Amino acid sequence: MIFVWGRKAVYSPAGYVADFCPVCRAARAFSVQRIGMAWHVYYITLSKGELAGYQRTCCDCGMALPMEAGHYSRLSVEQLPLAQLEQATNPHLSLRHADALAAAARLREAPLLLDESERRRQLDAALRLQADALDEYEATTRLDKEVWWSIGAAFAFCAAVLTVLRQQAPQNMDTGFIIAFFLSLGAVAWQLSQMGERFLQRSILPKLARSLAPLQPSQTELDEAFQRMGEQERKLAKRIDSARVQQAIAALRG
Ligand SMILES: [Zn+2]
């Protein structure tokens, strides 16, 4: 019997703040999650764990970013309208992010008139953000819902096979159960192997598309950006390519 235990991050809701979202390229409301490290047995935890930090998640695009709770005047209990939330939690937002807000405004007005180096900087920044998100995702052991379903289905399947064999062919119970067990194990392993790709499809590509769409990057610009990212040996450069990014941007428009 394998006994699975250790410590894992537990995310619990802690309120709302207003801040700049680099994916939406605008001021946004963020939900705040308290991150605690708690002991788990089979990934089940009983407490919120010891405080390890906070993260903020954009209420619009879902981008999760690390945050310093001390940067805000307070956390709001409810998601107020943006202007009120800004006043209550981050009154210096427009001052603090003046450069980013100005760059976003220039981008909105005339994306193709930005000079080459600024376009390159914005492209690299958008890619870097998602490359960091992928690294962060791969560093944690969080199972997605498909994996949990396959584990549940595997247990149910093995139990059903056992019950049927016990009634119909008790002499074949051992062989039958071993076959069912390895089939189930295979199904779970397959779902596990697909988890990274699902994360790319559901989280990374849509956010990348959203932050890059206003730039309207050309194929060459994207290829060059991917090449720079590859030179820095970022995992994201190996997992997706410029064609998939263009596809995601097109999907956003459609
Ligand atoms: Zn956002």
Side-chain angles (χ1 to χ4, degrees), residues 21 23-24 28 58 60-63 210:
C21 175
V23 172
C24 300
R28 287 285 189 257
C58 175
D60 258 277
C61 71
M63 184 70 201
R210 195 173 169 130

Side-chain angles (χ1 to χ4, degrees), residues 5 23-24 29 78 94 108 122 128 174 185 208 233 240:
W5 65 290
V23 172
C24 300
E78 49 179 339
S94 47
R108 262 195 309 278
Q122 297 219 14
R128 200 179 319 121
D174 286 352
L185 206 63
L208 206 48
E233 297 185 6
I240 55 172

